[in-house]
Amino acid sequence: MVVKQPRAEPTDEALKTALSQLDAAADRLHLDDGLRDMLRTPKRELSVHFPVHMDDGTIRIFHGYRVHHNLARGPAKGGLRYHPQVSLEEVRALAMWMTWKCAVVNLPYGGAKGGVVVDPKDLSLRELERLTRRYATEISIIIGENEDVPAPDLGTDPQVMAWIMDTISMHRGHTAAGVVTGKPVSVGGTLGRLEATGRGILYVTQEVARRYGVALEGATVAVQGFGNVGAVAAHLLSQAGARVVAVSDRTGGLYNPNGLRIEQLLSYRKDRAPLTTGPGGDRITNDELLTLDVDFLIPAALENQITARNAPRVRARYIIEGANGPTTPEADAILNENGVVVVPDILANAGGVIVSYFEWVQDLQFYFWEEAEVNERLHKVITRAYRDVAATAEEHGISLREAAMVLAVGRVVEATRIRGIYP
Ligand code: NAD
């Protein structure tokens, strides 16, 4: 007799969402319970509790995690988050999303994520370095070029990646550049990484425009968030001839129906001045930006921005999700109903992980590419992924978000079946 193991129900919202998305895709793929349980469960989880000497001479214990969700398609890949709200369940959800993100753009990676419960703003630079080197040492038993390749996420940056690379290199006695990505170019990083996510959004938007017969030249665009993702996307889209009519940051936004001058705003922002006092447009709120009558809306700030509250008022024809999780499931249903085409985050913002993959490939070969080559290959990979997802959506008569999940989960299942269950 087969006895089913009881499932522990998650309490974390991100993990609940991740599991319900997986269940929906598993239903469409008619997966049996065994495979479903395999995909619901991370392969490996490491919890570490480690001491760090603080500048005042005291010792503080920090708590961190590294989770490998699924390795059927290759080494694990995923970011490392320093944030006070990090929890094991949240890291599990993020690791699972990385599995799907890598699979949907067809990178030979599984999904992973890591985190340390800390607000990096509370630490001095030296404390941050000691914490990073000790955490890297603690998780060194499961990371490596062939095992798991971390990258930056919330609260971590290229400097943190350089410290991790150096720590692992010191242990091994030789430079191990391929152990993390998102490093500075001077220590094995790749050209084009900083702009990669915004550039991926440009390429996806171009592809959507082509598919739906919209001329990008003169098309109207609103971008929420003017950081690494949003500002690069706004800049590249305006260079491509689109009319970026609105941009925003946490203080609010600027609107000009004739188009904003993005280069002028970029140089205005160099000294971190709030966008709302910038030149060339009228002030609007973030809520007004999200409901502007535009061709393309690019939420590139935070999660949960398009909700059941404002979704009925969204007038954009196409939404390209730059941020992770900017649309709630309830809002997604409303947008679907209203015929708004949404390109989901795991596809639209995959430019970053795609170029991280290129960084790893270059590190393994000790051979570095020109920026034009990086961009050209990014274009090829993300455009093909968009076309795969669009074809799956058409075939099943489902949304691009559902199609991205069906495609991604289907690829992981195929790899699992072909490899077989060991022993
Ligand atoms: P960032 O910190 O560089 O920029 C975030 C921007 O959002 C800033 O302009 C900030 O002012 C703005 N913002 C913050 N709170 C806001 C609010 N309440 N309303 C409107 N704007 C607000 O971050 P980023 O790297 O550009 O990341 C943005 C999003 O994209 C995040 O969801 C991130 O997880 C996701 N993402 C980033 C990358 C990457 O390569 N950087 C890759 C994939 C996904």
Side-chain angles (χ1 to χ4, degrees):
M1 192 180 70
V2 179
V3 180
K4 278 195 81 173
Q5 297 291 327
R7 279 178 182 162
E9 290 309 318
T11 53
D12 180 78
E13 285 306 317
L15 187 55
K16 283 186 200 167
T17 306
L19 289 171
S20 75
Q21 289 170 346
L22 168 61
D23 279 339
D27 286 344
R28 283 193 193 284
L29 290 164
H30 307 294
L31 296 190
D32 60 46
D33 282 352
L35 260 175
R36 219 179 258 253
D37 276 348
M38 241 182 113
L39 298 177
R40 287 174 67 90
T41 317
K43 174 185 169 64
R44 181 181 287 140
E45 301 179 339
L46 181 62
S47 295
V48 294
H49 311 281
F50 55 95
V52 176
H53 263 304
M54 308 308 283
D55 290 347
D56 64 5
T58 59
I59 295 170
R60 232 178 102 184
I61 300 293
F62 289 89
H63 309 281
Y65 309 99
R66 187 75 191 167
V67 172
H68 293 173
H69 170 250
N70 185 292
L71 307 184
R73 291 171 45 86
K77 185 91 194 84
L80 166 59
R81 174 170 290 198
Y82 287 175
H83 193 275
Q85 257 94 52
V86 161
S87 70
L88 181 55
E89 284 204 341
E90 182 194 59
V91 176
R92 274 182 196 150
L94 296 166
M96 185 183 289
W97 278 320
M98 281 308 296
T99 302
W100 314 138
K101 187 181 285 199
C102 292
V104 83
V105 293
N106 219 356
L107 300 180
Y109 282 139
K113 205 79 177 193
V116 177
V117 186
V118 60
D119 186 343
K121 288 197 286 297
D122 292 344
L123 303 184
S124 72
L125 194 66
R126 286 293 146 238
E127 288 169 341
L128 188 67
E129 177 175 353
R130 285 196 292 271
L131 175 139
T132 298
R133 288 184 181 278
R134 179 65 190 242
Y135 170 75
T137 301
E138 296 291 342
I139 65 165
S140 63
I141 51 177
I142 62 166
I143 67 169
E145 299 83 338
N146 298 314
E147 292 85 20
D148 171 12
V149 187
D153 189 66
L154 283 184
T156 57
D157 61 11
Q159 175 62 74
V160 170
M161 296 303 118
W163 287 326
I164 296 177
M165 183 277 264
D166 185 69
T167 301
I168 304 298
S169 300
M170 289 299 117
H171 294 175
R172 293 193 191 166
H174 61 84
T175 296
V179 75
V180 286
T181 60
K183 301 178 295 296
V185 172
S186 53
V187 292
T190 181
L191 296 171
R193 175 64 182 84
L194 280 180
E195 307 80 34
T197 306
R199 184 172 287 282
I201 286 172
L202 166 74
Y203 294 154
V204 167
T205 310
Q206 285 173 329
E207 208 44 38
V208 171
R210 197 167 299 133
R211 190 167 191 92
Y212 292 94
V214 180
L216 197 54
E217 181 90 38
T220 50
V221 180
V223 183
Q224 186 200 31
F226 205 64
N228 185 289
V229 179
V232 173
H235 189 211
L236 293 175
L237 279 160
S238 73
Q239 282 180 333
R243 187 148 45 99
V244 180
V245 296
V247 295
S248 69
D249 63 12
R250 71 185 77 236
T251 64
L254 278 182
Y255 173 63
N256 183 339
N258 299 316
L260 295 162
R261 290 179 57 197
I262 301 300
E263 274 183 29
Q264 194 183 24
L265 287 174
L266 286 171
S267 52
Y268 168 78
R269 286 275 297 180
K270 279 216 171 91
D271 50 5
R272 302 196 170 271
L275 259 186
T276 35
T277 53
D282 301 325
R283 283 181 81 144
I284 51 165
T285 65
N286 266 292
D287 198 49
E288 286 164 340
L289 180 144
L290 294 173
T291 53
L292 283 174
D293 185 5
V294 287
D295 295 309
F296 297 97
L297 171 63
I298 303 176
L302 300 173
E303 64 279 4
N304 299 333
Q305 294 301 295
I306 305 174
T307 63
R309 190 182 53 78
N310 57 12
R313 292 181 281 120
V314 166
R315 285 179 290 166
R317 256 79 61 207
Y318 309 96
I319 297 181
I320 318 289
E321 292 187 337
N324 285 318
T327 311
T328 65
E330 300 76 37
D332 209 36
I334 296 168
L335 296 172
N336 240 330
E337 185 79 3
N338 292 346
V340 182
V341 173
V342 182
V343 183
D345 45 9
I346 59 169
L347 169 62
N349 70 28
V353 73
I354 293 168
V355 175
S356 264
Y357 164 63
F358 296 159
E359 177 176 338
W360 177 73
V361 167
Q362 294 170 75
D363 287 337
L364 294 183
Q365 299 180 342
F366 297 96
Y367 179 73
F368 290 87
W369 310 344
E370 300 289 334
E371 187 165 352
E373 184 169 356
V374 172
N375 294 343
E376 191 188 318
R377 287 177 187 263
L378 167 61
H379 182 258
K380 208 177 271 178
V381 173
I382 206 162
T383 303
R384 189 183 52 211
Y386 175 82
R387 290 178 187 166
D388 289 348
V389 171
T392 307
E394 237 157 61
E395 186 189 327
H396 294 268
I398 53 180
S399 70
L400 292 173
R401 190 187 309 280
E402 291 166 314
M405 278 299 288
V406 165
L407 188 67
V409 174
R411 283 178 175 160
V412 175
V413 166
E414 187 188 346
T416 305
R417 285 204 171 116
I418 293 174
R419 288 178 67 150
I421 308 285
Y422 177 85

